[in-house]
Amino acid sequence: MLVLGIESSCDETAVSIVEKKNSLCKGKIIKEIVWSQIKSHQPFGGVVPELSSREHVRLLDKITKKTLRESKINLKEIDGIAATIGPGLLGGLLIGSNYAKAVCIASKKPFLAVNHLQAHILISRMENTIPFPFLVLLISGGHTQLVIAKNYNKFEILGESVDDALGEAFDKTAKLFGLKYPGGPEIEKFAKKFSKKNSYLLPKPMYKRNNLNFSFSGLKTAVRKIVEKGISKKDKFNLAYDFQSCILKCLEDRCAKAMDSFIEKYHCGSFILSGGVASNMFLRNGIKKLTERKGMKFFVPKISLCVDNASMIAWTGIEKLENDEKGDPISSIPQPRWPLNKI
Ligand code: KG4
Ligand code: ZN
């Protein structure tokens, strides 16, 4: 099975062809191209929706043709075309999905409408055998959720951020530090240069709460108050370290609680870390250790598959076709808000 995937929900224009030879083998990326628009958005300190739409218009057809040409795969050999139809920025979703639909109509291929969050979660199954149900912590620029994946298309949200998504908290904190967008990788680099741990007393929102929700805006505000008083570069390194370790403590607390109830219900299982923020090595290592202490198997995609990419969209298309889906209606409309439990 060969599926072509298109991702255009935010500031990456990405196309990928993924193959799965039979039901027993894993998925393989034949060719993927991710064009990051970061440089165009950086002067504005964040993603500018209109600018991202223009970039998708400019690049999508070129990148798709290049992916097909360099993979030496003819469109005739493709079994389906998958595109993100939500959640995300409406302009990008319209451009990517309409392009995919047009190619599907012209080539008589099934159109596969993919939920971006579902794709972030399922991509771990491309390279590993992970049976359902499994527990997931999805941490991205727009979402922070603890989820049970019951099937490829059935998800239960256990808890989520009541304010900022974790990636957003990283990005806003980086801005306070005067660092460029996207801020997550910049904060991680800063934190590596720390000289003293626990220099700052930062709040741990939602810590030990009875539910499974998260909150990060208070933490960001606490950092802002410290920065506004004026701190040296060396202090910023220490503050970045304390910020990350405070986040890890909050994530560990919420995940441990979710793991306990998951194990009680299902007896064992796997824990998956996913989304752009899962690229952070400090957080990856911390959550891995926690998962192993709880006796669960830990999976996290390689960094290029944590951040936005089209291979996860193509792979989700493969999972849909494998489950006898015949394709989605050409009339499927993009959904800027499309929660995992409404797939
Ligand atoms: O999943 P993603 O690529 O896009 C969304 O679906 O939102 O996530 C992007 C987010 C950004 O907020 C970015 O700052 C964050 O992931 N991020 C990181 C790291 N790399 C990317 N956050 C912390 N540490 C990193 N190394
Ligand atoms: Zn994403």
Side-chain angles (χ1 to χ4, degrees), residues 309-322:
N309 65 88
S311 298
M312 68 183 194
I313 308 302
W315 172 255
T316 304
I318 289 185
E319 291 231 19
K320 281 165 76 92
L321 286 177
E322 271 194 320

Side-chain angles (χ1 to χ4, degrees), residues 7 9-10 12 87 116-117 119-120 138-143 275-276 306-309 312-313:
E7 162 57 33
S9 67
C10 193
E12 266 85 25
H116 182 88
L117 308 175
H120 267 304
L138 171 64
I139 40 179
S140 70
H143 294 81
C306 282
V307 290
D308 286 351
N309 65 88
M312 68 183 194
I313 308 302

Side-chain angles (χ1 to χ4, degrees), residues 7 9-12 87 116-117 120 138-143 165-171 181-189 244 274-281 283 303 306-309 312:
E7 162 57 33
S9 67
C10 193
D11 58 343
E12 266 85 25
H116 182 88
L117 308 175
H120 267 304
L138 171 64
I139 40 179
S140 70
H143 294 81
L166 186 51
E168 209 180 337
F170 266 97
D171 294 339
Y181 175 85
E186 301 302 310
I187 294 271
E188 186 176 16
K189 276 185 229 154
Q244 279 198 161
S274 71
V277 187
S279 327
N280 184 294
M281 292 313 288
L283 300 180
I303 289 175
C306 282
V307 290
D308 286 351
N309 65 88
M312 68 183 194

Side-chain angles (χ1 to χ4, degrees), residues 37 48-60 95:
Q37 307 176 356
V48 183
E50 173 65 15
L51 199 58
S52 96
S53 299
R54 289 176 189 212
E55 289 282 275
H56 291 309
V57 169
R58 189 172 71 81
L59 295 162
L60 185 54
I95 292 155

Side-chain angles (χ1 to χ4, degrees), residues 44 59 104 188 238 300:
F44 305 95
L59 295 162
C104 285
E188 186 176 16
N238 291 335
V300 61

